[in-house]
Amino acid sequence: MNISIPDRLYKLLALIGLFLIGYSFYYMDFAEQKYFSEIDKHREIRDSVLLAQMQIDNEKDDLIRISDFLSTKYSVENPLLISDSTLVFSRVLNGPKNNLIVSDSIETIWKSYKKHKFQLNLLTKKLTFSQKYLDEEENLKKNYFSNYMEIRDIGFTLLFLGVLMWVMDIPSINREKNIIKQKEKLYSFCQSCGLEFNSMLKYGTNKNKSDNYAFCKECFRKGKFTNPNLTKEEFITNSLNIKKNKNWLSKKILKSRLSRLERWRDNHL
């Protein structure tokens, strides 16, 4: 994989700017998604607390109603006492038969009531912890946004400077291209190896050290080919061997393309 390094400052600034903008938006979105995830968890726990509270209230009403009914039916003292909205169950371990019947009947309901009330207390504590985590996550999100918004602003600034420098540099770029075109034909690919010119693959050089816009520096230096004894057939064979995993059609197209390169077409051997 070839990575092209920008050959002009404005390209580098614009590239860095775009990277910083994308980087900042990615992590700002990450922080926001994490915060909303904590909100969903908090709401789920809160709903569980509300449902558990409704269940406790319903069991409490049933417990009071059944206790009153049994106490009246068996003509005994109600073992369930209500004090400031708090239930107190006085279990009877010995005594008259009717008292034991009422006490044993209520005890089963009482155990279920106490179990669910304990679960409600656990959920309430969990809700408290969840609120604490939610507040912490909100503060982290604010810090993330503050830091990455600064990075985003730097990115936009660099992008703006890059575009501005590019606009200002357009006339000189056009003049440079016109000069090249006036001197000789401008190629996009090296006319020896067929590779595309870029910031990594530079032009070759003539005898007077000027740029040669037909061949790359790997193939042509100081007015001479770096491999002058290489024949057209050897070059094509070597290129096809590199692409040995390709199908026959791809190889045929490659062979035809390489044969049209200036060095081999004009027989610069």
Side-chain angles (χ1 to χ4, degrees), residues 2-249:
N2 293 326
I3 300 177
S4 298
I5 300 175
D7 53 355
R8 294 182 181 271
L9 179 60
Y10 68 81
K11 292 182 181 179
L12 181 61
L13 290 177
L15 183 63
I16 294 175
L18 288 173
F19 172 78
L20 292 179
I21 292 170
Y23 177 82
S24 60
F25 274 114
Y26 173 81
Y27 279 100
M28 286 168 66
D29 181 69
F30 173 78
E32 194 168 56
Q33 291 297 327
K34 191 175 181 182
Y35 174 67
F36 284 132
S37 176
E38 290 297 329
I39 289 179
D40 291 339
K41 291 178 182 178
H42 182 76
R43 287 175 175 171
E44 184 177 346
I45 296 173
R46 183 191 61 189
D47 292 343
S48 297
V49 171
L50 292 175
L51 291 174
Q53 184 63 59
M54 291 174 62
Q55 182 181 15
I56 289 295
D57 292 340
N58 184 62
E59 287 189 349
K60 180 180 178 181
D61 292 340
D62 288 344
L63 189 58
I64 294 173
R65 178 175 54 80
I66 293 172
S67 180
D68 288 340
F69 171 76
L70 292 176
S71 299
T72 302
K73 180 180 178 180
Y74 290 97
S75 301
V76 297
E77 184 180 355
N78 194 334
L80 194 65
L81 302 177
I82 303 175
S83 176
D84 297 329
S85 300
T86 301
L87 294 182
V88 179
F89 174 60
S90 299
R91 183 184 177 188
V92 178
L93 298 177
N94 50 57
K97 181 179 179 181
N98 287 349
N99 290 73
L100 293 173
I101 292 174
V102 172
S103 179
D104 291 342
S105 299
I106 295 175
E107 183 182 6
T108 302
I109 306 173
W110 174 258
K111 287 181 178 180
S112 175
Y113 170 76
K114 293 296 291 184
K115 177 183 177 180
H116 290 148
K117 192 169 183 180
F118 175 74
Q119 292 175 345
L120 175 61
N121 290 335
L122 291 179
L123 283 174
T124 302
K125 289 184 180 296
K126 189 175 181 179
L127 182 64
T128 302
F129 292 142
S130 176
Q131 183 62 55
K132 178 183 177 182
Y133 297 148
L134 186 62
D135 293 340
E136 292 176 353
E137 201 63 42
E138 184 178 12
N139 291 331
L140 285 175
K141 182 178 78 76
K142 289 179 180 178
N143 292 333
Y144 266 115
F145 269 64
S146 177
N147 294 333
Y148 286 108
M149 284 180 70
E150 292 181 5
I151 295 176
R152 182 201 62 182
D153 293 340
I154 293 174
F156 276 117
T157 302
L158 292 177
L159 178 61
F160 174 77
L161 287 175
V163 173
L164 182 63
M165 291 175 66
W166 172 69
V167 172
M168 295 175 64
D169 201 38
I170 287 178
S172 64
I173 295 174
N174 290 335
R175 285 196 300 271
E176 182 180 327
K177 288 184 177 180
N178 289 333
I179 292 173
I180 294 174
K181 288 179 181 179
Q182 290 172 7
K183 288 182 178 180
E184 57 181 293
K185 186 176 179 181
L186 187 64
Y187 295 95
S188 299
F189 300 88
C190 173
Q191 296 303 299
S192 174
C193 65
L195 296 179
E196 184 179 7
F197 291 116
N198 53 49
S199 57
M200 299 294 290
L201 189 66
K202 302 292 185 180
Y203 294 117
T205 55
N206 298 314
K207 288 182 179 180
N208 60 2
K209 297 183 179 180
S210 62
D211 288 336
N212 184 292
Y213 299 105
F215 306 109
C216 71
K217 66 177 182 179
E218 303 298 330
C219 298
F220 197 82
R221 297 177 188 173
K222 297 181 180 180
K224 296 180 181 180
F225 287 108
T226 57
N227 49 359
N229 297 323
L230 183 67
T231 66
K232 178 179 179 180
E233 288 71 21
E234 289 174 341
F235 167 69
I236 292 177
T237 300
N238 292 338
S239 299
L240 292 176
N241 286 336
I242 294 176
K243 304 290 184 180
K244 60 182 178 181
N245 293 328
K246 298 292 184 179
N247 56 48
W248 68 270
L249 181 59

